[in-house]
Amino acid sequence: MTGVLSRAVGAAAAGALLAASFPPVGLWWSAILALALLVVVLSPLRGVAPRPRTGALLGLIAGLVFFLLLVPWVGLYVGAYAAWALALVEALYLAAFGAGAVVILREGLAAGRRHGLRVVGAALGVAGWWSVWEWIRSSWPWGGFPWGRLAFGQADGPLLPLASLGGTPLLGFAVAATGTALGLVVLLLIRRHRPPRVPLRSAGGLLMVPLVTAGLAAAAALDTTSRETGETADIAVIQGNVPRLGLDFNAQRRAVLENHLRVTAELADDVEAGTAVRPDVVLWPENASDISPLADRQAGAQISALSRRLDAPILVGTVLRVGDGPEATNSYLVWDDRSPEPAADPVVDRHDKKYIQPFGEWLPLRAPLEAMFPIARTAGHFVPGDGDGVVTAAGIDFGVAICFEIAFDAAAREPVARGAQILTVPTNNATFGRSPMSYQQLAMSRVRAVEHHVPVLVAATSGVSAVIGPDGQVLQETGIFEPATLSAQVESDSAGTMATRLGGIPQMVSCLIGLVSLGWALIRTRQRPATEYEET
C-alpha cells in the first residue's frame, strides 16, 4: 500500500509539473521532467511492477492534477463544477495511457536485460502511446478538446522548430520521448546494482533520443532562418474591449460594437492626420459585432463608413442566424465597401467557424442537461460551417481560425495548405476574465506560426491581441481589458513548411509506433514467465 501511495504522490507531482509547462508559469522543460517522473512511477521499482489497473489509477491522478491546474478558467463564471467535470473527463484519457504504459515499460525493461536497445524501443513506444491518447482526446467525443497537448507548452522551448517538420504531433512526440528516455535513464542508474538489471550501455542509447531530437530541431531552425523575406502588407488589429467582465457581456452587444467602431475611427483619424500608416486590411475580433451588420442597417452603415475612410476592407466577427430557428453561425466577414457609393452587398468573403465547442457554443444532450443544470440554457445553438478556412481581402489570402479553432491541427494547417499567406485568430476571451486562458491561446498561436512558417495575427475583443512572426516571436502584444490598435507590416507570401505538406502523416506514424509497441509488449508479456517482478 505504501508503494502505491508513493507512486500516487509521484503521479500528482508529474501532473503539476506538466501544468507548469503552460502559461501562466510557462517552464517548457517541466513537461520533460513531468514525463520522466510519470515513467518512473509507472515502471517496476525494487522488483515490484504496477498492474495495468494501478497504472490507470496513476494516470488518472496525474491527469486530474494537470487539468485542474491548466483549465480552472472553464468554471470562472459558471461554477467550479464545470472545471472539475472537464478535468475528470480529460483525466480518463491519461488513465488509459497509464494502463498501457506500464505494460510497455515492464516488457521493455525486462527485455532490456538481454537486449539493451529494447529499452530505447520502450522509450519510443511510450511516446507513441502518449501520442495515441493525445490524438483521441483531441478528436473524440464531440470533436475533442486539444487543450493541453505537449506541443502547446513548448513555445519558448528549443525543440519548437520540430513543429515545422512534423507539426504538433512530432513536437509532442519528441517531448514525450525525451522525457521518457530521461526517466528510464534514472531507473537504470537506480537499478544498476540490483537484479534484474538492464545493461548500463542502454543508458547511452537512451541519451541518443534527446540528442537526435535536439539535432533535428537545430536543423529545422536553420532551414527556416535561411528563407528570404517575401512581400509585406500593412495590417491593423483592433481590440475594442468590452464594457464589463463575465458571461453577460453579450447583453451589451451594441456597446461592444461601438467600442470597436470608436477605436477604428481613432485609427482613421491618425491615418488622415499622417501619424499612422494606412492599413491594407483591418482585423476585428470574434464577436466584435454580434449585432449582425447584415440585418442591422445602422451597424452595416457604420462599418461601411469606416471601410471607406480607411480605404481598406474590415474583417468583422459576427453572429449570423440560420433560418428562423435558434441556430446561428460564428462568422468572420470580409466587409469591403470602399466605393464612393454604398455597395449593395459589401461582404466579399466569409468564414463560418467549423470547430464549434460542445457545452459552450452548442450543447450535446441538450434536453436532459438543461433539466438538470439551468446554467446549461446559456449554451449556444451554433452550427458548424463547411468552408476551406481562407478568405481574401485586398488581394491577400487570410487563413481564419476563430478562437478555440487554433487548437485544432487541421484548422491551422488546411488554410495555409490552400494558399493562405497570413493566419488570423479572431477571438473573444472576455468570458474568461483575466485568467491564463488568453496566454495559453497565445502560446498555441506561436506554435502554429512556427509549424507553418506563417505570420499569425491574434485579434481579441478584450485581449490578448498580438502580432506573431513566422519564427513564433511575439512582435507586438496588448494588455487585457483595454482598447488598443496594433499596426504591423507582415510577410504575405512565404507561408508553408514540410509539416504543412505532410498533413496528418506524422500523427499517424507516431500513433502507429505506440500501438505496435503496446501490441508487441502484450504478446511478449504472455510468452514471458511471470517471475521477474511482483505486481502491485
Side-chain angles (χ1 to χ4, degrees), residues 204-391:
L206 286 168
L207 291 176
M208 288 299 295
V209 174
L211 290 175
V212 170
T213 56
L216 287 173
L222 288 173
D223 177 64
T224 55
T225 55
S226 65
R227 294 194 184 202
E228 295 182 1
T229 302
E231 295 183 4
T232 59
D234 292 303
I235 311 293
V237 178
I238 304 296
Q239 179 175 301
N241 205 10
V242 298
R244 62 175 179 261
L245 283 65
L247 295 176
D248 61 347
F249 93 94
N250 280 317
Q252 301 293 312
R253 290 183 175 89
R254 177 64 67 179
V256 175
L257 172 58
E258 291 293 340
N259 284 354
H260 287 83
L261 290 168
R262 183 180 66 256
V263 175
T264 308
E266 291 170 356
L267 172 63
D269 292 340
D270 292 340
V271 169
E272 291 166 355
T275 58
V277 175
R278 185 179 300 277
D280 296 307
V281 179
V282 177
L283 304 182
W284 279 12
E286 177 190 27
N287 301 126
S289 180
D290 273 0
I291 295 175
S292 168
L294 297 179
D296 188 289
R297 289 187 178 182
Q298 180 184 358
Q302 289 172 309
I303 298 171
S304 289
L306 286 172
S307 177
R308 288 193 291 273
R309 280 190 66 188
L310 288 166
D311 191 27
I314 301 175
L315 275 60
V316 180
T318 189
V319 173
L320 302 177
R321 294 294 173 189
V322 177
D324 297 326
E327 289 81 12
T329 58
N330 187 344
S331 301
Y332 207 45
L333 309 179
V334 179
W335 196 278
D336 193 348
D337 197 0
R338 290 179 283 174
S339 60
E341 295 296 326
D345 184 4
V347 178
V348 299
D349 213 339
R350 166 179 170 177
H351 167 73
D352 296 331
K353 189 174 183 181
K354 297 172 66 175
Y355 298 85
I356 57 175
Q357 295 308 295
F359 304 100
E361 292 177 311
W362 71 284
L363 188 63
L365 310 173
R366 181 175 288 273
L369 287 177
E370 286 184 349
M372 290 187 292
F373 305 103
I375 189 67
R377 297 177 188 136
T378 64
H381 293 78
F382 287 97
V383 294
D386 58 1
D388 60 5
V390 180
V391 298

Side-chain angles (χ1 to χ4, degrees), residues 138-166:
S138 299
S139 310
W140 182 87
W142 304 308
F145 186 71
W147 219 272
R149 292 175 62 183
L150 284 180
F152 295 145
Q154 300 299 306
D156 291 308
L159 297 183
L160 177 60
L162 288 174
S164 67
L165 298 181

Side-chain angles (χ1 to χ4, degrees), residues 87-121:
L88 177 59
V89 170
E90 296 301 308
L92 292 175
Y93 296 96
L94 268 72
F97 164 77
V102 296
V103 178
I104 298 173
L105 289 166
R106 181 169 56 184
E107 171 57 29
L109 288 168
R113 294 177 62 192
R114 292 172 294 278
H115 307 286
L117 288 179
R118 293 282 181 88
V119 184
V120 180

